[in-house]
């Protein structure tokens, strides 16, 4: 919630009200586990399918297997049937979907590491250098599991993800409210940001037309404002 307290700002410069943040948490947190179950169902189905004896592989048995996995993993037939997942139907993407699950595990474990070490993530100047050294510089020279282990100091597990899902709505609201209030107080006591330096040139183009350019318009925020005005004008004409 702290990032919304700072960056979800109205045109009048007012931060998003806490009530809206709380409403979003109440509406989404209890159901996040269903997204996890939906992700897990795909690799479990693929494994069972590829372990099926060849003589048993028929259209009927595959459909029955998909229904069984959905019921076992998701608790019932899925709103997104397994056999509609394109990764399963496309040979170049087969045995690939579990990578999404592993990546999400890595994200949660990495976030947990930063929160334990630094207590916060939003606008934390140490996050970028840490990610650069541990993840981006090694790149494909290190296996994925080693990357996560090297940064977090622990083997990749689903513990951080599961622990987040196990939190009650009340606990999440309490944590996020504290984070939201702290960021609101910090923003109120400090001078507003007057520029954003990304150490790069940004040109926003539409065909041959240059709509905005940080080198010509005076900086990032000025470029954003110019592009925003363009969009509003064009939308109004439409």
């Amino acid at each position: 919630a702290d990032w919304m307290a700072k960056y979800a700002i109205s045109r009048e410069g007012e931060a998003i009200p806490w009530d809206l943040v709380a409403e979003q948490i109440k509406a989404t947190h209890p159901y996040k586990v269903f997204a996890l179950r939906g992700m897990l169902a795909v690799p479990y189905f693929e494994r069972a399918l590829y372990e099926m004896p060849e003589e048993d592989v028929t259209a009927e048995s595959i459909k029955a297997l998909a229904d069984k996995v959905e019921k076992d993993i998701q608790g019932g037939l899925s709103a997104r049937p397994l056999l509609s997942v394109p990764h399963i139907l496309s040979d170049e993407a087969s045995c690939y979907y579990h990578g999404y699950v592993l990546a999400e595990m890595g994200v949660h474990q990495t976030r947990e590491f930063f929160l334990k070490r630094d207590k916060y993530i939003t606008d934390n100047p140490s996050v970028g250098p840490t990610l650069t050294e541990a993840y981006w510089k090694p790149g494909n020279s290190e296996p994925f599991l080693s990357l996560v282990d090297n940064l977090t100091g622990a083997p990749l597990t689903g513990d951080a993800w599961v622990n987040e899902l196990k939190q009650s709505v009340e606990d999440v609201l309490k944590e996020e409210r504290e984070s939201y209030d702290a960021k609101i107080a910090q923003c109120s006591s400090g001078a507003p940001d007057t520029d954003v330096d990304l150490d790069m040139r940004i040109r926003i183009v539409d065909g041959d037309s240059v709509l905005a350019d940080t080198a010509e318009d005076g900086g990032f925020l000025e470029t954003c404002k110019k592009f925003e005005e363009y969009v509003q004008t064009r939308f109004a004409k439409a």
Side-chain angles (χ1 to χ4, degrees):
D2 58 345
W3 73 266
M4 286 189 282
K6 180 170 182 180
Y7 293 108
I9 306 300
S10 70
R11 288 189 174 89
E12 292 72 35
E14 297 177 354
I16 182 173
W18 164 252
D19 289 346
L20 288 181
V21 179
E23 184 178 332
Q24 187 260 351
I25 293 171
K26 293 175 184 177
T28 60
H29 181 73
Y31 308 104
K32 286 183 176 180
V33 67
F34 292 111
L36 167 59
R37 288 173 176 263
M39 293 178 71
L40 286 173
V42 179
Y44 270 97
F45 169 73
E46 285 192 298
R47 175 178 175 177
L49 175 63
Y50 298 135
E51 289 179 346
M52 183 184 292
E54 188 171 350
E55 61 271 17
D56 294 339
V57 177
T58 64
E60 291 72 21
S61 66
I62 292 174
K63 288 188 289 185
L65 177 62
D67 289 348
K68 181 179 185 304
V69 171
E70 288 178 10
K71 292 174 183 177
D72 290 347
I73 303 297
Q74 298 180 256
L77 295 179
S78 175
R80 179 211 60 180
L82 276 171
L83 291 177
S84 71
V85 177
H87 301 69
I88 297 173
L89 308 178
S90 178
D91 57 351
E92 69 270 13
S94 61
C95 295
Y96 183 90
Y97 204 90
H98 65 280
Y100 299 133
V101 182
L102 293 173
E104 192 74 21
M105 289 166 59
V107 168
H108 286 277
Q109 186 164 321
T110 301
R111 284 179 54 85
E112 182 185 61
F113 166 79
F114 283 123
L115 291 173
K116 285 182 176 179
R117 189 190 73 176
D118 303 333
K119 309 304 180 188
Y120 73 107
I121 295 177
T122 301
D123 294 337
N124 183 342
S126 70
V127 169
T130 301
L131 291 175
T132 297
E133 292 299 320
Y135 285 171
W136 312 137
K137 281 189 176 180
N140 288 334
S141 69
E142 285 276 0
F144 170 68
L145 297 181
S146 298
L147 291 172
V148 178
D149 195 344
N150 292 341
L151 188 147
T152 65
L156 178 67
T157 71
D159 293 348
W161 195 359
V162 172
N163 289 338
E164 180 182 322
L165 295 173
K166 286 166 62 177
Q167 283 186 292
S168 67
V169 172
E170 291 72 22
D171 287 342
V172 174
L173 287 170
K174 181 176 182 293
E175 287 184 9
E176 294 298 330
R177 183 59 192 263
E178 292 173 355
S179 174
Y180 174 91
D181 287 344
K183 183 59 71 173
I184 289 290
Q186 182 187 63
C187 293
S188 300
S189 62
D193 292 332
T194 57
D195 196 16
V196 176
D197 183 9
L198 300 178
D199 192 24
M200 62 188 295
R201 180 181 182 182
I202 299 175
R203 298 170 74 244
I204 304 174
V205 301
D206 181 11
D208 294 330
S209 301
V210 178
L211 307 181
D213 184 341
T214 54
E216 302 292 337
D217 300 322
F220 178 76
L221 295 180
E222 290 81 0
T223 300
C224 291
K225 181 175 178 57
K226 185 174 180 180
F227 179 58
E228 179 183 359
E229 292 172 350
Y230 167 82
V231 172
Q232 290 176 342
T233 301
R234 181 168 181 176
F235 180 78
K237 289 181 178 179

